[in-house]
Amino acid sequence: MGRRVRTAQIAGFSRRRGCSLLREIGYGPAAMQPFKKLEGVAAPLNMINVDTDMIIPKQYLKTIQRTGLGKALFDELRFNTDGSEKPDFVLNKPAYRKAQILVAGENFGCGSSREHAPWALLDFGIRAVIATSFADIFYGNCFKNGILPIKLPQAEVDKLMDDAERGANAVVTIDLEAQEIRGPDGGCIKFEVDPFKKQCLLNGWDDIGLTMRAEDKIATFENSQHTQQPWI
C-alpha cells in the first residue's frame, strides 16, 4: 500500500511540476557539481590495470548511497587487515591526503562495471584521473558523476607522473573549457574530450540533469495525458 501511495504522489507531483520531485523526496543522487577549472595536488599512482575491485572492494557494494565510500577507496591498498594505514601507499602520505587529481597507469578502471568506483573516488575528493587508457564503462561512469578522465600519450603521462612525485608542490591545473593541463613548472599539455561529455561536465548535467532540461515539456505531456487518460 505504501509503495502505491508513494507512486501516486510522484505521478501527481509530476503532472503539476515535472520530474523534480524525484530529487526533492530523495530519489536519485544530488545534482552533479560542474567541472570547469580544477587546481589541486596530483597524486602519482604508478600502477597499470587498476581494477574497480581495487578502487572499491566488493564488500562495500551493498549501499546505493553515493556518499561515505571515500573512506573505503583503495581499501586493501590503503589499510592493513587490522584497519591501520599502510604508510607507503600514496594517498596515506601527508602530501597527498587531499589530492584532487590522480595520475595513473594504463587500463585504469578495468574489471567489473560497478559505478561505486567513481562514487568512491569522488567522495574521497578526486575530480580528475589522468592515464593513457581507461576501461570503457568506467570512463563513461566518470563523466556521469562529475569526474574528468583524461587520456594522454605515455610520454605526457610520464611527465605528469614525474611532476606528481613532487608531493605538496605537485599542484596541477586542469582547465576543461580550454582543454589544457598546466603542471607546477608552467608547462602546458592539451587534451581531447568528447564535446557532448565536455558540455555535460561544464554544466553539471548528469543523466537526471539532462532530463530536467526538458522539465516543461515533460510537465506539458503529463498534464495532457492526465486530461486524456485520467485513469493512468
mmCIF file of all heavy atoms in Angstrom, residues 50 52 106-112 133-141 151:
data_model
loop_
_atom_site.group_PDB
_atom_site.id
_atom_site.type_symbol
_atom_site.label_atom_id
_atom_site.label_comp_id
_atom_site.label_asym_id
_atom_site.label_seq_id
_atom_site.Cartn_x
_atom_site.Cartn_y
_atom_site.Cartn_z
ATOM 1 N N VAL A 50 44.623 -1.034 -12.815
ATOM 2 C CA VAL A 50 43.950 -0.811 -11.533
ATOM 3 C C VAL A 50 42.466 -1.078 -11.759
ATOM 4 O O VAL A 50 41.782 -0.323 -12.449
ATOM 5 C CB VAL A 50 44.177 0.620 -11.019
ATOM 6 C CG1 VAL A 50 43.335 0.868 -9.761
ATOM 7 C CG2 VAL A 50 45.647 0.854 -10.731
ATOM 8 N N THR A 52 38.343 -2.105 -10.739
ATOM 9 C CA THR A 52 37.342 -1.488 -9.865
ATOM 10 C C THR A 52 37.267 -2.157 -8.494
ATOM 11 O O THR A 52 36.847 -1.528 -7.524
ATOM 12 C CB THR A 52 35.951 -1.501 -10.529
ATOM 13 O OG1 THR A 52 35.640 -2.830 -10.961
ATOM 14 C CG2 THR A 52 35.926 -0.567 -11.728
ATOM 15 N N GLU A 106 48.101 2.645 -17.363
ATOM 16 C CA GLU A 106 47.138 2.285 -18.408
ATOM 17 C C GLU A 106 46.042 1.344 -17.900
ATOM 18 O O GLU A 106 46.195 0.666 -16.891
ATOM 19 C CB GLU A 106 47.864 1.622 -19.574
ATOM 20 C CG GLU A 106 48.500 0.284 -19.234
ATOM 21 C CD GLU A 106 49.191 -0.322 -20.430
ATOM 22 O OE1 GLU A 106 48.485 -0.712 -21.380
ATOM 23 O OE2 GLU A 106 50.443 -0.395 -20.422
ATOM 24 N N ASN A 107 44.923 1.375 -18.620
ATOM 25 C CA ASN A 107 43.775 0.500 -18.362
ATOM 26 C C ASN A 107 43.189 0.714 -16.974
ATOM 27 O O ASN A 107 42.778 -0.231 -16.299
ATOM 28 C CB ASN A 107 44.163 -0.974 -18.559
ATOM 29 C CG ASN A 107 42.966 -1.876 -18.782
ATOM 30 O OD1 ASN A 107 41.947 -1.444 -19.313
ATOM 31 N ND2 ASN A 107 43.073 -3.130 -18.382
ATOM 32 N N PHE A 108 43.101 1.953 -16.562
ATOM 33 C CA PHE A 108 42.554 2.289 -15.245
ATOM 34 C C PHE A 108 41.049 2.032 -15.248
ATOM 35 O O PHE A 108 40.335 2.379 -16.181
ATOM 36 C CB PHE A 108 42.837 3.754 -14.909
ATOM 37 C CG PHE A 108 42.526 4.124 -13.487
ATOM 38 C CD1 PHE A 108 43.486 3.984 -12.503
ATOM 39 C CD2 PHE A 108 41.272 4.611 -13.134
ATOM 40 C CE1 PHE A 108 43.208 4.320 -11.188
ATOM 41 C CE2 PHE A 108 40.985 4.948 -11.828
ATOM 42 C CZ PHE A 108 41.958 4.802 -10.844
ATOM 43 N N GLY A 109 40.556 1.421 -14.166
ATOM 44 C CA GLY A 109 39.119 1.188 -14.028
ATOM 45 C C GLY A 109 38.623 -0.066 -14.717
ATOM 46 O O GLY A 109 37.416 -0.202 -14.970
ATOM 47 N N CYS A 110 39.520 -0.995 -15.006
ATOM 48 C CA CYS A 110 39.102 -2.241 -15.649
ATOM 49 C C CYS A 110 38.383 -3.123 -14.633
ATOM 50 O O CYS A 110 38.258 -2.781 -13.462
ATOM 51 C CB CYS A 110 40.312 -2.969 -16.239
ATOM 52 S SG CYS A 110 41.626 -3.350 -15.042
ATOM 53 N N GLY A 111 37.917 -4.286 -15.080
ATOM 54 C CA GLY A 111 37.206 -5.178 -14.172
ATOM 55 C C GLY A 111 35.707 -5.004 -14.274
ATOM 56 O O GLY A 111 35.174 -4.693 -15.347
ATOM 57 N N SER A 112 34.999 -5.155 -13.171
ATOM 58 C CA SER A 112 33.536 -5.080 -13.193
ATOM 59 C C SER A 112 33.076 -3.649 -13.445
ATOM 60 O O SER A 112 33.839 -2.691 -13.302
ATOM 61 C CB SER A 112 32.953 -5.584 -11.866
ATOM 62 O OG SER A 112 33.135 -4.632 -10.841
ATOM 63 N N SER A 133 44.982 5.104 -20.789
ATOM 64 C CA SER A 133 43.756 4.439 -21.231
ATOM 65 C C SER A 133 42.892 4.080 -20.035
ATOM 66 O O SER A 133 43.380 3.955 -18.906
ATOM 67 C CB SER A 133 44.079 3.180 -22.047
ATOM 68 O OG SER A 133 44.798 2.244 -21.261
ATOM 69 N N PHE A 134 41.599 3.929 -20.307
ATOM 70 C CA PHE A 134 40.618 3.579 -19.282
ATOM 71 C C PHE A 134 39.722 2.456 -19.795
ATOM 72 O O PHE A 134 39.505 2.321 -21.002
ATOM 73 C CB PHE A 134 39.718 4.777 -18.949
ATOM 74 C CG PHE A 134 40.419 5.947 -18.344
ATOM 75 C CD1 PHE A 134 41.002 6.919 -19.140
ATOM 76 C CD2 PHE A 134 40.477 6.102 -16.961
ATOM 77 C CE1 PHE A 134 41.646 8.021 -18.588
ATOM 78 C CE2 PHE A 134 41.118 7.200 -16.399
ATOM 79 C CZ PHE A 134 41.706 8.160 -17.212
ATOM 80 N N ALA A 135 39.157 1.683 -18.875
ATOM 81 C CA ALA A 135 38.102 0.747 -19.256
ATOM 82 C C ALA A 135 36.889 1.570 -19.697
ATOM 83 O O ALA A 135 36.566 2.596 -19.095
ATOM 84 C CB ALA A 135 37.738 -0.143 -18.081
ATOM 85 N N ASP A 136 36.214 1.118 -20.737
ATOM 86 C CA ASP A 136 35.155 1.919 -21.358
ATOM 87 C C ASP A 136 34.022 2.283 -20.396
ATOM 88 O O ASP A 136 33.587 3.434 -20.349
ATOM 89 C CB ASP A 136 34.567 1.182 -22.566
ATOM 90 C CG ASP A 136 35.530 1.120 -23.743
ATOM 91 O OD1 ASP A 136 36.490 1.926 -23.756
ATOM 92 O OD2 ASP A 136 35.323 0.298 -24.646
ATOM 93 N N ILE A 137 33.511 1.298 -19.636
ATOM 94 C CA ILE A 137 32.373 1.571 -18.755
ATOM 95 C C ILE A 137 32.775 2.526 -17.638
ATOM 96 O O ILE A 137 32.054 3.476 -17.323
ATOM 97 C CB ILE A 137 31.788 0.266 -18.188
ATOM 98 C CG1 ILE A 137 31.179 -0.574 -19.328
ATOM 99 C CG2 ILE A 137 30.728 0.565 -17.118
ATOM 100 C CD1 ILE A 137 30.656 -1.922 -18.887
ATOM 101 N N PHE A 138 33.938 2.301 -17.054
ATOM 102 C CA PHE A 138 34.416 3.201 -16.009
ATOM 103 C C PHE A 138 34.573 4.617 -16.568
ATOM 104 O O PHE A 138 34.200 5.595 -15.916
ATOM 105 C CB PHE A 138 35.751 2.713 -15.457
ATOM 106 C CG PHE A 138 36.390 3.662 -14.484
ATOM 107 C CD1 PHE A 138 36.018 3.660 -13.153
ATOM 108 C CD2 PHE A 138 37.354 4.572 -14.907
ATOM 109 C CE1 PHE A 138 36.584 4.561 -12.254
ATOM 110 C CE2 PHE A 138 37.925 5.465 -14.019
ATOM 111 C CZ PHE A 138 37.544 5.466 -12.686
ATOM 112 N N TYR A 139 35.117 4.712 -17.773
ATOM 113 C CA TYR A 139 35.332 6.009 -18.414
ATOM 114 C C TYR A 139 34.003 6.770 -18.540
ATOM 115 O O TYR A 139 33.912 7.946 -18.177
ATOM 116 C CB TYR A 139 35.950 5.775 -19.789
ATOM 117 C CG TYR A 139 36.340 7.019 -20.550
ATOM 118 C CD1 TYR A 139 37.478 7.743 -20.211
ATOM 119 C CD2 TYR A 139 35.589 7.455 -21.641
ATOM 120 C CE1 TYR A 139 37.854 8.878 -20.932
ATOM 121 C CE2 TYR A 139 35.959 8.582 -22.364
ATOM 122 C CZ TYR A 139 37.083 9.287 -22.011
ATOM 123 O OH TYR A 139 37.458 10.408 -22.731
ATOM 124 N N GLY A 140 32.964 6.082 -19.014
ATOM 125 C CA GLY A 140 31.667 6.732 -19.145
ATOM 126 C C GLY A 140 31.050 7.085 -17.805
ATOM 127 O O GLY A 140 30.446 8.149 -17.650
ATOM 128 N N ASN A 141 31.211 6.211 -16.816
ATOM 129 C CA ASN A 141 30.658 6.481 -15.489
ATOM 130 C C ASN A 141 31.292 7.698 -14.840
ATOM 131 O O ASN A 141 30.648 8.398 -14.048
ATOM 132 C CB ASN A 141 30.837 5.262 -14.588
ATOM 133 C CG ASN A 141 29.823 4.164 -14.870
ATOM 134 O OD1 ASN A 141 28.761 4.414 -15.451
ATOM 135 N ND2 ASN A 141 30.141 2.944 -14.466
ATOM 136 N N LYS A 151 42.659 11.090 -21.193
ATOM 137 C CA LYS A 151 43.566 10.161 -21.869
ATOM 138 C C LYS A 151 44.700 10.957 -22.511
ATOM 139 O O LYS A 151 44.463 11.929 -23.233
ATOM 140 C CB LYS A 151 42.833 9.378 -22.957
ATOM 141 C CG LYS A 151 41.695 8.514 -22.456
ATOM 142 C CD LYS A 151 40.997 7.823 -23.635
ATOM 143 C CE LYS A 151 39.790 7.010 -23.201
ATOM 144 N NZ LYS A 151 39.101 6.384 -24.360
#
